[in-house]
Amino acid sequence: MAPKPKDKPKAASSPPLVEDLFTALNRHIQRSDFEHAVKVADQILSISPGDEDALRCKVVALIKADSIDDALSTIQASQTPPADFNFCKAYCLYRQNKLDEALESLKSQEKRSATMLLESQILYRLGKMDACMDIYKKLPKSDIESLEINYVAGLIMAGRASEVQGMMDSLRVKATSSFELAYNTACSLIERKKYADAEELLLSARRIGQETLMEDNLPDDEIELELSPIAVQLAYVQQLLGRTKDAIEAYTDIIKRDLADESSIAVAMNNLFALRGPKDVPDSLRKLDRLKAKDTQSFQLAHGLDAKLSARQRESIYANRVLLLLYANRMDQARELVSALLDMFPDSEMPILLQAAVLVRENKAGKAEEVLAQFADKFPQKSKFLYLSRAQVAAAAGHPHIAADSLAKISDIQHRPATVATLVSLKERAGDIDGAAAVLDTAIKWWSNAMTEDNKLNVIMQEAASFQLRHGREGDAAHLYEELVKSQGSVEALVGLVTTVARVDVDKAELYEKQLKPLPGLKGIDVDSLERTSGVKHVEASSYVGVTETYEEGKNKTKAKKKRKRKPRYPKGFDPANPGPPPDPERWLPRRERSSYRPKRRDKRAAQVRGSQGAVVREKHDSGATSNYSNPKANQVATKGATQNAVAEQAKPSSSKSRKKSRN
């Protein structure tokens, strides 16, 4: 046999050229196939480890593929990173919500449009709105597309919603130019409490968004997902307009359909819980657990959700969680979450208010007052709500001195009638009458110098006069009434002046009384003759009957009113057609007093002697026959002993029966 020919050795495949790999890399990037682009970039870096273009393409592809952690690791692992990698690093840190580190990475970068825009976004997330708006003003408007959208959002978050319309007029931009701008402008109207206009603009934003996204050939689910913030904001406007039922239905529908981004669902849940209040607390806590991070036992928002929500939204969700825990009486969990919030929001007063609520629920009102006072002294600019809360806690706990002291520290509401009335009431409860009078005097002085259209001077003076009169200070009350008569000329003040002065000086009261206008219908009445009468005369029975008969005759002449016949109300389940047997007339009497009561008979068998059958009868017969004649004493003793034995035997089962009952 001829030998088999040997196989020729295969030629080793040559590695691809770097130029071909870059061509493939460019093709994948153009197709937005970023996963394959990363693999091709790794091949290039394996051939040429220091290639900056390949490294840059890999980092950008990882960012585009939302692999932020891998992109940051690649940047940090590169030995000689390009100069512009600090910008990519800052963006990755921004996406990881490491805002302070991201801001630090941008300091070495050149002030370009992209760098300034990223810096403004970081400042926006940090809540530094004034610095954010300064950068927006410096940005060249021609280089940034739709800059006005971010500009409006920054103004709203900075508390400058009133400046939105002026800014849009200066940029010559209409609110309906895009659905994003219409949404942000509607949010500014909400901040300005123009809820009806905001609802109308939100409906326009939804319509414009649907038309725009349908032109981009997006499927219906993605369109609904993109427009979910508008749907949540519409429900919020309905809530503010008092249409609670519509708002609850809208929030519930958004949560059930689950066709919204996680931040919109979180806001919808939070607002729904706020509307429900203490109703359906277990269901609210279960739904809120959907927002929780899976790797933690305590309640903490998921990382992605935490980065998308603003600080105010996160704080509101955590606060509602604490309130739900208090409603559910889970004090340990509420206390633990409040302690975490104190570190999470150190500059906010909300955790302090929640801590005070937990302490009040634990009947520690004094400790709550102390905590509120400490934080109010530490942050005077945020002390208003803290002092109001402290006053409420102290008033409910029976500490009027502390409540009045807390209200007195809020300077901008001292002159308001509600505050004045509350302070006076608290000081009266505390027994400080002079302090209450001082509060009224201060309010009168403030309103006397106030140049406002809605001046409350006459209201305060009227209440002050009533207060002085109530506490026996007729002179001060009369002085106040005189001032009211001179300044206002009101009839009520003049009547008060007459009644007050009459207690001190009758002649002076009569002089003031002459200023009162006579009442109509009183001219024919002789007051002097009424005063001379000895009072009401006694009317005899006969004359009384005659008057009554006359009155009845006159009453019969008038048309008698028909009395409305009301249907009798029967007990539940009672059929008047078949009432059944009549109730027992003695059902309310004690059982011993009823005619059907029969007392229990004594057991005659108790006197019998226990023993074998037959023997007892014979022995009893014999003993009975002999005892009647021979030994009556022995008969008595025997009978007594038998009776005692029988009683002892009866007592045993009753005691065991009671013992069984006690076990049950």
Side-chain angles (χ1 to χ4, degrees):
M1 290 180 64
K4 292 181 179 180
K6 294 181 180 180
D7 295 335
K8 295 181 180 180
K10 294 181 180 180
S13 59
S14 60
L17 298 176
V18 176
E19 290 79 4
D20 296 337
L21 291 174
F22 268 112
T23 302
L25 178 60
N26 183 57
R27 183 172 62 253
H28 290 312
I29 291 175
Q30 294 296 329
R31 294 175 180 175
S32 298
D33 190 0
F34 300 114
E35 293 183 2
H36 286 90
V38 172
K39 294 178 181 179
V40 174
D42 285 335
Q43 293 180 10
I44 297 173
L45 290 171
S46 64
I47 299 172
S48 177
D51 196 309
E52 292 186 1
D53 293 332
L55 187 60
R56 186 180 291 106
C57 288
K58 179 182 178 180
V59 171
V60 173
L62 287 170
I63 293 174
K64 290 285 187 179
D66 282 338
S67 300
I68 305 300
D69 296 337
D70 295 337
L72 188 59
S73 300
T74 303
I75 294 171
Q76 293 172 347
S78 60
Q79 297 179 356
T80 57
D84 58 346
F85 262 31
N86 280 336
F87 176 80
C88 296
K89 180 181 178 182
Y91 180 77
C92 291
L93 292 169
Y94 164 75
R95 290 287 301 273
Q96 290 182 340
N97 209 31
K98 299 177 181 178
L99 303 178
D100 294 324
E101 297 179 31
L103 200 61
E104 188 68 25
S105 299
L106 284 178
K107 288 184 178 180
S108 59
Q109 293 293 302
E110 183 184 354
K111 295 294 183 181
R112 297 178 292 111
S113 296
T115 308
M116 295 172 67
L117 186 61
L118 179 58
E119 185 180 0
S120 65
Q121 289 293 102
I122 295 171
L123 292 170
Y124 180 87
R125 284 275 189 89
L126 286 170
K128 300 178 180 180
M129 297 303 164
D130 293 333
C132 173
M133 298 309 300
D134 292 339
I135 294 177
Y136 278 141
K137 291 178 182 178
K138 297 176 183 177
L139 278 170
K141 298 173 179 58
S142 57
D143 295 349
I144 308 299
E145 184 180 359
S146 302
L147 177 64
E148 62 275 0
I149 297 174
N150 292 349
Y151 206 154
V152 172
L155 286 173
I156 295 170
M157 294 301 294
R160 296 157 60 183
S162 58
E163 302 177 19
V164 169
Q165 190 59 47
M167 183 274 297
M168 293 176 61
D169 293 341
S170 64
L171 296 177
R172 297 180 181 179
V173 179
K174 291 184 178 180
T176 55
S177 59
S178 66
F179 71 92
E180 297 97 335
L181 184 59
Y183 171 80
N184 286 353
T185 308
C187 292
S188 71
L189 293 173
I190 292 173
E191 291 293 322
R192 296 165 60 188
K193 294 182 172 47
K194 295 184 177 181
Y195 304 131
D197 297 340
E199 184 180 21
E200 184 179 353
L201 191 54
L202 284 170
L203 292 172
S204 301
R206 185 170 63 182
R207 177 181 53 80
I208 297 168
Q210 289 172 346
E211 295 173 356
T212 304
L213 298 175
M214 287 177 67
E215 291 176 359
D216 296 340
N217 297 321
L218 288 178
D220 293 340
D221 291 349
E222 292 189 15
I223 291 175
E224 188 171 355
L225 180 67
E226 189 72 22
L227 300 179
S228 58
I230 300 177
V232 175
Q233 201 72 336
L234 270 171
Y236 179 61
V237 171
Q238 292 172 348
Q239 177 182 345
L240 294 174
L241 288 172
R243 304 199 317 250
T244 305
K245 186 177 180 181
D246 297 338
I248 291 177
E249 290 178 357
Y251 289 138
T252 307
D253 183 65
I254 292 168
I255 296 169
K256 283 184 177 179
R257 290 172 62 84
D258 202 13
L259 289 176
D261 61 294
E262 54 183 351
S263 60
S264 297
I265 289 179
V267 173
M269 284 184 179
N270 181 70
N271 293 354
L272 179 62
F273 303 153
L275 283 175
R276 280 181 178 179
K279 297 179 181 178
D280 298 329
V281 172
D283 180 65
S284 299
L285 287 171
R286 277 194 304 270
K287 288 181 178 178
L288 201 56
D289 286 337
R290 291 173 52 185
L291 312 178
K292 175 185 172 183
K294 296 181 180 179
D295 55 346
T296 58
Q297 293 183 352
S298 60
F299 183 80
Q300 187 175 355
L301 292 176
H303 178 72
L305 178 62
D306 188 77
K308 291 180 180 179
L309 295 172
S310 65
R312 190 167 69 175
Q313 290 171 334
R314 293 197 305 271
E315 186 182 63
S316 178
I317 292 174
Y318 280 118
N320 282 338
R321 172 78 178 187
V322 173
L323 294 178
L324 288 173
L325 291 173
L326 289 178
Y327 287 140
N329 205 25
R330 301 183 186 177
M331 302 304 299
D332 294 336
Q333 297 181 29
R335 198 182 304 109
E336 180 183 358
L337 185 55
V338 166
S339 62
L341 293 181
L342 292 171
D343 299 329
M344 206 178 298
F345 305 100
D347 297 332
S348 175
E349 70 273 13
M350 183 58 70
I352 305 299
L353 295 174
L354 293 173
Q355 185 181 11
V358 172
L359 290 171
V360 170
R361 189 65 181 273
E362 294 175 340
N363 295 325
K364 299 178 181 178
K367 182 65 176 176
E369 295 166 9
E370 182 181 348
V371 168
L372 291 169
Q374 288 177 355
F375 194 86
D377 295 337
K378 185 177 179 181
F379 298 96
Q381 68 277 9
K382 300 178 181 180
S383 61
K384 182 175 181 179
F385 290 108
L386 297 171
Y387 279 130
L388 286 173
S389 302
R390 184 171 181 249
Q392 182 179 4
V393 171
H399 306 151
H401 283 295
I402 298 175
D405 180 66
S406 301
L407 282 179
K409 292 182 178 180
I410 309 174
S411 58
D412 58 339
I413 65 170
Q414 293 298 301
H415 59 280
R416 296 183 182 179
T419 308
V420 173
T422 306
L423 279 170
V424 170
S425 176
L426 289 171
K427 288 185 177 294
E428 280 184 311
R429 285 171 56 187
D432 188 6
I433 306 302
D434 294 334
V439 170
L440 290 168
D441 293 341
T442 304
I444 290 172
K445 290 179 182 178
W446 193 94
W447 285 107
S448 300
N449 300 323
M451 303 296 292
T452 57
E453 295 180 0
D454 188 18
N455 199 303
K456 303 293 184 181
L457 179 61
N458 57 340
V459 177
I460 300 293
M461 291 183 69
Q462 189 82 25
E463 294 300 322
S466 301
F467 169 82
Q468 301 287 5
L469 195 60
R470 188 165 63 248
H471 291 282
R473 303 179 179 183
E474 289 83 2
D476 296 334
H479 176 71
L480 289 169
Y481 279 128
E482 285 179 356
E483 293 293 331
L484 277 172
V485 170
K486 291 177 182 178
S487 59
Q488 303 294 332
S490 63
V491 178
E492 292 83 0
L494 186 57
V495 171
L497 178 60
V498 172
T499 55
T500 304
V501 175
R503 301 184 181 186
V504 182
D505 190 349
V506 178
D507 296 334
K508 191 175 182 180
E510 290 178 350
L511 293 175
Y512 286 122
E513 185 268 337
K514 293 179 181 179
Q515 300 179 20
L516 291 171
K517 295 181 180 179
L519 294 176
L522 296 180
K523 292 182 178 180
I525 298 176
D526 189 357
V527 179
D528 296 333
S529 62
L530 285 176
E531 290 180 350
R532 286 195 296 270
T533 57
S534 58
V536 181
K537 293 183 178 180
H538 176 69
V539 181
E540 296 180 358
S542 59
S543 61
Y544 177 75
V545 172
V547 172
T548 306
E549 290 175 354
T550 307
Y551 171 75
E552 291 295 335
E553 290 175 0
K555 184 178 179 182
N556 292 332
K557 291 181 182 179
T558 60
K559 189 176 181 180
K561 293 183 180 179
K562 292 183 179 180
K563 291 185 178 180
R564 186 176 63 181
K565 294 183 179 180
R566 296 183 179 179
K567 294 182 179 180
R569 296 180 64 183
Y570 297 109
K572 187 177 181 181
F574 178 76
D575 186 8
N578 300 313
D584 185 7
E586 297 180 352
R587 61 187 182 277
W588 305 117
L589 295 175
R591 187 174 296 177
R592 288 181 175 274
E593 298 180 10
R594 298 180 191 177
S595 58
S596 59
Y597 174 73
R598 295 290 182 273
K600 290 185 179 180
R601 295 182 179 179
R602 293 185 178 180
D603 193 357
K604 295 182 179 180
R605 292 175 297 176
Q608 296 178 358
V609 180
R610 304 286 180 177
S612 59
Q613 189 175 9
V616 174
V617 176
R618 186 171 59 252
E619 290 173 2
K620 181 180 179 182
H621 178 74
D622 296 342
S623 61
T626 56
S627 63
N628 288 333
Y629 299 99
S630 62
N631 194 358
K633 288 186 178 179
N635 187 18
Q636 291 176 358
V637 173
T639 307
K640 185 177 181 183
T643 306
Q644 288 176 347
N645 292 335
V647 171
E649 288 178 359
Q650 278 188 337
K652 287 181 181 177
S654 66
S655 63
S656 63
K657 188 175 181 181
S658 64
R659 197 176 299 116
K660 287 182 181 179
K661 284 185 179 179
S662 64
R663 286 199 196 101
N664 292 335

